[in-house]
Amino acid sequence: MGGSFALRGDICWSKSAAELSCVKDGYLVCENGVSRGVFEELPAGLEGIEVIDRRGRLVVPGLVDLHLHAPQYGFRGLGMDLELLDWLDTHTFPEEGRYADLGYAERAYQVFADDLLHSATTRAVVFGTIHVEPTLRLMDLLEETGLKTFVGKVNMDRNSPDYLRERSAKASLSDTRLWLGRVGERGYENTLPILTPRFTPSCTDELMAGLGQLREELRLPLQSHLSENLSEVEWVRELCPWSSCYGQTYERFGHLSGDVPSVMAHCNYCPEEEIEILKGSGCFIAHCPQSNTMLSSGIAPIRDYLERGMNVGLGTDIAGGASLSLFRAMADAVGVSKLRWRCVDETLRPLSTSEAFYLATAGGGSFFGKVGSFDQGFEFDALVLDDSALRTTLECSLEERLERYVYLEAEGGRICDKFVAGRRLQI
Ligand SMILES: [Zn+2]
């Protein structure tokens, strides 16, 4: 639980996908780790509160990465020559296989955790590998950062190389229980477990059924991939001839229903039935535009999902996406939505920058509860950003400064402070 203070600066946050709020030289008040709201002047009764003076800097909610793979961090920016299924066989599985070696995992996860701490991300939903001890080590390292994360030990018992396949559904489930037991013993404050069947092609029906039981028994969230690539969708049809759509291969085993949410990455090719399943279950969609571009996967109809009132956030999908930056993900989300509008379906308007900002803050944040906004009662996750090196002779409004930061972050944007649940992280 964080303390009580006010952050003074130029404050921007989303009220909704459609509404961006901006207060120049305002006060964002934190009480016991929770936002009390944004004020033009300090409210009566708070005159004596500690004020962290960041005048002239941008203050925005912490960013939420709904989908990335920690063990793929080492080869990001490499192997962008293939589509999904060949990319997995050629680049991804060999690298994930190396994480059987705890020493290798330790070194690689240290780099990942350190870089994530210094990024604009405050919360993330993360894939590990099938390996129990290395995944626990990843969780230990993330716990130390103070970031809030969900981390999953991956389940895979078919269609994977010998070195990265669990022996049977039973063995996979028993390792998952072992992992969950160890997580319980460690008593993490910031790091929570999430069930993680890699995707339907990697998991037998028996394993999927067992994970569904585990989810019901322990009320655990779940993450996976859905309708990312056309060959993958076709393969699932062959593997599960009983299903009428890919989404059903999760729904049938209880992976989407219940009062604890799930998150499905991509959702580029969902038929109407699948969209209804996702919407009805409150499932979160992790939109990963850079990955979808680099693996030539496709473009998700995010405008449609937003208009239907579905839960949508952004993911970097390291290492399908090369960049850990959610500002880059926002810019890419806007860019691909424009290409989709022009080349695929002119009935779906492109996303605006402020809508992409919403997806990276409150949109994905709600997977974690009241997260991603500065409205009263939200957990106090905040970034202080220095945009002074992004020089221009124009007089920009606060909204325009935020827009420039989204597109130009890599050319001199700087994170000055990072708060998670009211606690200032050491960056
Ligand atoms: Zn992924």
Side-chain angles (χ1 to χ4, degrees), residues 270-291:
C270 298
E272 185 62 29
E273 180 189 2
E274 196 162 289
I275 294 173
E276 288 301 321
I277 290 172
L278 294 172
K279 183 174 178 192
S281 66
C283 182
F284 281 71
I285 293 165
H287 178 43
C288 307
Q290 194 186 25
S291 167

Side-chain angles (χ1 to χ4, degrees), residues 375-419:
D375 288 343
Q376 184 172 17
F378 276 73
E379 292 194 59
F380 190 97
D381 291 7
L383 301 171
V384 178
L385 306 173
D386 178 2
D387 62 342
S388 61
L390 306 176
R391 296 186 296 172
T392 175
T393 48
L394 298 178
E395 271 298 319
C396 291
S397 67
L398 194 40
E399 185 168 352
E400 287 169 334
R401 282 173 59 200
L402 176 65
E403 185 174 0
R404 291 181 82 243
Y405 199 95
V406 168
Y407 291 96
L408 304 178
E409 175 237 359
E411 295 181 24
R414 187 171 71 86
I415 301 167
C416 308
D417 305 278
K418 189 167 175 178
F419 297 84

Side-chain angles (χ1 to χ4, degrees), residues 10 24 33 69 99 113 119 156 178 241 324 343 400 405 418:
D10 298 333
K24 193 160 171 55
H69 298 256
Y99 284 73
S119 76
M156 303 165 73
L178 175 71
L324 194 59
C343 305
E400 287 169 334
Y405 199 95
K418 189 167 175 178

Side-chain angles (χ1 to χ4, degrees), residues 98-109:
R98 301 179 74 184
Y99 284 73
D101 172 356
L102 189 57
Y104 182 78
E106 169 90 34
R107 289 200 306 282
Y109 283 152

Side-chain angles (χ1 to χ4, degrees), residues 67 69 225 266 317:
H67 182 72
H69 298 256
H225 299 90
H266 310 302
D317 195 20

